[in-house]
Amino acid sequence: MSPANPVVSDGIDLVQHRIAEQRQRLLRHEVYEQLNTMAALRCFMEHHVFAVFDFMSLLKALQQRLTSVSVPWIPPAHAAGARLINEIVLGEESDENGAGRFASHFELYRQAMQEVGARTDVIDRFVTDLRNGQTVASALQRPEIPAGVRAFVTATFEVIHSHDLIALTANFTFGREDLLPEVFHQIVHELDEASGRLSQFRYYLQRHIDLDGDHHGPLAHRLLATLCHDEPQAWENAAQAALAALQARVQLWDCISDAIRQGAI
C-alpha cells in the first residue's frame, strides 16, 4: 500500500519497522523445515486449526464494530471501514471451495485435515461446546487442547474483548492478513509435491496466498489507515498491538515445533 497522505504512509512504515525483527523470526522459524512427513503435517494442522477458528472470530469482531449487524439497522459509523471489512468477510466466510460450492476457510481447513488423516475430534468438541453455550475460556479448558494453543486463542480473545478497534485492526492486519501469504509460502515450499493427499490443503493455502497477498492484505492496510489516519498515538497503539500478535504467533509455532519433535498433539 502507498497511501497518498505522507503521515499515513509514515504510520504504516512505523508499524512495519517495529515488527520487522519479530516478523523475520516468525518467517525463519524451524517449524517449516519440520513439515517433511505426513505425521508432522497432521500434528501442525491439529494445532493450527484453532488459529483458523480464532482468525474468523477476529474478523467477525471487526465486522460487528465496523458495520451494522443488528436490527433495526442503523448506518455504520465508518462507511469506508464497513465496505472494506465486508469485502474481506465475503471471501473468508463464503469462499469458493474448488468444487463449485462455497465454504468458510475454517471449513476448507477442516476438510483438508480429513484429507491428510489429521484428527478433527479436538476442534470439533471445542466448537460443539461453543454451540452449546460455553464461553471460549471455558471450552478451552478441555485437557486435550495443548497449552500453547490455549494461550494463543486466549490472547486473541483478550484483544477481541478489549473492544479496542485499533488493536483489533492491527492484530488482523499485521498478525494475519499481511503475514499469512509469506507464512503459507513457507509451508507450501516444504510440502511434498508428489503427494496426492494434499490437494485440499494446497487449495486452502493457495486461496490464502492469492486472496491475502493480492486483495485482503491491501484492504486491511487501507482499513487501518482509515482508522488511524494522521494520529501518531493511534499508529503507536497499532504498532504495539501488531508486535503482540506476532509474538503470540511465534509462541504458537514454538508449541507446534515441540509437539512435532515429541510426536504428539
Side-chain angles (χ1 to χ4, degrees):
M1 174 184 174
S2 301
N5 186 330
V7 177
V8 172
S9 180
D10 288 346
I12 294 290
D13 289 344
L14 167 71
V15 178
Q16 291 176 331
H17 175 73
R18 291 279 293 279
I19 67 175
E21 182 178 347
Q22 198 73 3
R23 195 173 191 276
Q24 285 305 306
R25 181 182 174 192
L26 185 61
L27 294 175
R28 293 194 301 262
H29 201 283
E30 64 180 336
V31 73
Y32 307 115
E33 295 181 358
Q34 292 175 292
L35 299 179
N36 53 13
T37 68
M38 292 300 291
L41 179 61
R42 285 192 286 267
C43 184
F44 175 88
M45 296 181 76
E46 288 162 8
H47 286 72
H48 182 246
V49 65
F50 283 86
V52 180
F53 154 79
D54 81 349
F55 165 81
M56 296 300 302
S57 299
L58 189 65
L59 174 62
K60 299 302 285 187
L62 278 170
Q63 188 180 38
Q64 287 179 339
R65 291 293 307 276
L66 292 168
T67 72
S68 181
V69 293
S70 59
V71 177
W73 177 88
I74 57 175
H78 300 279
R83 169 71 184 199
L84 294 172
I85 204 66
N86 279 334
E87 284 192 52
I88 296 174
V89 169
L90 177 65
E92 298 288 350
E93 194 173 35
S94 53
D95 197 12
E96 299 174 11
N97 72 348
R101 295 183 294 276
F102 303 96
S104 71
H105 281 193
F106 175 83
E107 293 167 304
L108 290 178
Y109 197 93
R110 188 182 176 283
Q111 292 166 8
M113 291 176 68
Q114 292 178 310
E115 179 185 57
V116 304
R119 292 169 53 196
T120 63
D121 56 317
V122 178
I123 186 65
D124 288 347
R125 285 194 293 268
F126 174 76
V127 171
T128 296
D129 287 343
L130 297 180
R131 289 188 190 279
N132 290 337
Q134 287 195 38
T135 64
V136 171
S138 175
L140 283 171
Q141 296 311 307
R142 282 188 171 274
E144 62 268 31
I145 296 178
V149 168
R150 189 178 301 118
F152 182 82
V153 177
T154 297
T156 300
F157 274 84
E158 285 176 353
V159 176
I160 291 172
H161 294 319
S162 74
H163 304 296
D164 184 333
L165 185 56
I166 297 298
L168 269 172
T169 307
N171 185 302
F172 181 79
T173 300
F174 292 101
R176 307 294 178 122
E177 294 293 346
D178 187 62
L179 173 73
L180 291 180
E182 287 196 54
V183 167
F184 288 154
H185 268 301
Q186 297 273 18
I187 295 173
V188 167
H189 178 71
E190 293 299 328
L191 294 180
D192 178 10
E193 294 282 355
S195 178
R197 298 176 62 189
L198 299 178
S199 59
Q200 191 69 34
F201 189 44
R202 285 185 178 281
Y203 180 80
Y204 168 86
L205 295 177
Q206 196 60 52
R207 287 300 293 167
H208 258 292
I209 291 169
D210 294 343
L211 286 174
D212 294 348
D214 297 337
H215 189 52
H216 291 176
L219 284 180
H221 276 213
R222 286 171 54 195
L223 176 59
L224 187 64
T226 296
L227 298 176
C228 293
H229 193 49
D230 58 357
E231 300 177 24
Q233 187 57 54
W235 284 109
E236 175 62 26
N237 294 344
Q240 293 178 12
L243 183 60
L246 293 185
Q247 290 169 337
R249 177 75 68 159
V250 168
Q251 292 169 359
L252 177 63
W253 266 205
D254 289 344
C255 166
I256 297 176
S257 180
D258 289 344
I260 291 173
R261 278 195 295 268
Q262 296 167 11
I265 182 170

